Amino acid sequence: MAEAWIIDAARTPRGIGKAGKGSLADVHPQRILSSVLKELAERNSLATEDIDDVIAGCGSQVGRQGACIARMSALDAGYSERATGFSLDRFCGSGLTSVSLGAMGIMSGMQNLIVAGGVESMSYAGTYGREAGGERMPTLDRNNLHLRDLHPQPHQGICADLIGTLEGITRLETEEHAVESQIRADNAIRQGYFDKSLVPVLHDDGSVALDHEEFPRPQTTLEGLAALKPSFEAMYEYPFDDEGASYKSLVQKVYPDIEINHIHHAGNSSGVVDGAGALVLASPDYARAHGLKPRAKIICTTADGDSPTTMLNAPVPAARKALDMAGLTTDDIDLWEINEAFAVVSLRFMRMLDLDYAKVNVNGGAMALGHPIGATGAIILGTLLDELERRDLHRGLATMCTGGGMAPAIIIERM
């Protein structure tokens, strides 16, 4: 089986994902992604007619983000008309899954050059909702009574509070974790650790829309977080359908006696942002023939599932599966990236795998930097690669939870 080499990685800054507030809110999502695609092609002198596919994850493929945003972004980036594209949706894991599919295409011998990543304009999707043709299109169809009985799936924020309750994770632990994420992200920004991969987004007239991280709040304190009200407590009791069903009723189908301790709020949950990221993948033969120097290789890519009711716990089995497939242990991984969708996700991940926090999310995570749903996987994989190089380390693993109780995972090794 052929190897899949990572030639390069790039991403945009993350803009505040609220209409009228964020610098990318009025930028078309395909321009956000095309900014990355264009940069990757230019600085690697890619022959874009050779690109076998542009693969883009996107969690809300509606309106501006519909109509195969991968292909449209490639065209907007000036790629050859021969460079095809397709988009996919694995909720929050879409960007990492895009890279996985690209790697598998190369490792199978069927493809030679792939650009894979993702994009999300959450400011746009939040305004547009998930409406198509005038009908409401919820993330999970709450009115599917059959599936609701088989696999109750609450809102992800409620899942985070449920996990915290089941695992005995306190609000103070989550807030200490959130403050540390802000500290690490602020240090990385001030030291220029992200600069290698950062690509500004430009308006049509060439003016800068955004060239820096817009979301981080380095002034965050434990005292400030302690004053915030839990975000999902009221939602837990509120009916979400015409029959009066609540998220509490869904949880109690599986945990009939549970009393949830609501501990998550805006400060210890991932930020709502806009952004894009992508990687260039190539086969060894193609890279050598075209003078492309590899930065790393993908030594394992996989995915695993867990309970849809807790929803956010699958990164643990996914990471273990990846390690088993690669014949490695946790001691063989120098750096870890686990998406901070909510504080309990990364806290539980480190606890279950007995990891040293000094090796996990060393430059902060989504609580500080934000989580542009379809793009985050590609962004954290690029961040992992940059940091392995900066520290002259060897091997890293990236994973993240997704809706429906799934998680992709990728292990990379520097070359």
Side-chain angles (χ1 to χ4, degrees), residues 104-405:
M104 288 187 278
I106 290 171
M107 295 167 81
S108 72
M110 295 294 104
Q111 296 176 314
N112 286 300
L113 184 62
I114 297 287
V115 180
V119 62
E120 203 78 43
S121 176
M122 297 182 76
S123 55
Y124 169 70
T127 302
Y128 192 89
R130 282 179 173 265
E131 295 178 4
E135 296 182 7
R136 184 68 179 166
M137 303 287 285
T139 303
L140 299 171
D141 186 354
R142 311 298 180 189
N143 295 310
N144 187 330
L145 300 180
H146 178 63
L147 184 59
R148 184 193 299 176
D149 288 336
L150 285 175
H151 298 289
Q153 298 179 58
H155 183 278
Q156 57 268 30
I158 291 168
C159 293
D161 288 342
L162 173 60
I163 291 168
T165 303
L166 293 171
E167 299 290 338
I169 297 172
T170 68
R171 174 165 170 163
L172 178 58
E173 287 178 287
T174 67
E175 291 173 344
E176 289 174 338
H177 186 28
V179 170
E180 179 62 21
S181 182
Q182 293 283 353
I183 291 170
R184 292 182 178 193
D186 183 54
N187 178 67
I189 291 168
R190 288 187 292 104
Q191 298 296 329
Y193 295 164
F194 298 145
D195 292 355
K196 183 174 183 178
S197 292
L198 213 58
V199 176
V201 179
L202 307 181
H203 292 295
D204 288 344
D205 63 5
S207 62
V208 175
L210 185 64
D211 62 1
H212 64 279
E213 296 289 352
E214 195 170 48
F215 186 78
R217 292 156 289 181
Q219 72 277 12
T220 300
T221 64
L222 284 175
E223 293 76 16
L225 295 182
L228 297 177
K229 292 182 178 180
S231 296
F232 309 105
E233 187 171 12
M235 180 189 292
Y236 187 52
E237 303 275 356
Y238 194 79
F240 61 76
D241 68 6
D242 295 336
E243 299 174 359
S246 65
Y247 290 115
K248 181 176 182 178
S249 69
L250 294 183
V251 171
Q252 290 184 336
K253 286 178 182 288
V254 180
Y255 300 97
D257 300 320
I258 195 78
E259 292 292 334
I260 290 184
N261 181 22
H262 295 281
I263 60 175
H264 286 88
H265 46 67
N268 56 12
S269 306
S270 56
V272 177
V273 295
D274 307 328
L279 292 87
V280 177
L281 310 175
S283 67
D285 287 346
Y286 183 89
R288 292 188 186 104
H290 293 82
L292 298 177
K293 183 179 179 181
R295 296 174 60 187
K297 63 181 176 181
I298 294 175
I299 61 173
C300 180
T301 175
T302 191
D304 211 339
D306 200 88
S307 166
T309 303
T310 50
M311 194 179 293
L312 312 175
N313 284 337
V316 172
R320 286 174 171 162
K321 183 178 179 181
L323 291 169
D324 287 345
M325 290 173 64
L328 302 171
T329 70
T330 55
D331 292 336
D332 296 312
I333 304 299
D334 299 306
L335 293 176
W336 303 75
E337 283 286 333
I338 165 70
N339 186 42
E340 296 171 354
F342 300 90
V344 295
V345 176
S346 39
L347 286 172
R348 181 180 182 274
F349 185 80
M350 290 186 284
R351 176 188 292 182
M352 296 296 290
L353 294 178
D354 192 23
L355 301 181
D356 181 355
Y357 189 20
K359 296 182 178 181
V360 181
N361 296 357
V362 296
N363 290 326
M367 289 187 291
L369 294 158
H371 173 27
I373 304 296
T376 302
I379 289 174
I380 66 173
L381 191 61
T383 297
L384 179 62
L385 175 56
D386 286 347
E387 193 62 17
L388 286 171
E389 290 177 340
R390 194 184 71 81
R391 297 186 180 211
D392 194 23
L393 297 174
H394 188 50
R395 198 179 285 122
L397 187 151
T399 187
M400 58 204 310
C401 59
T402 88

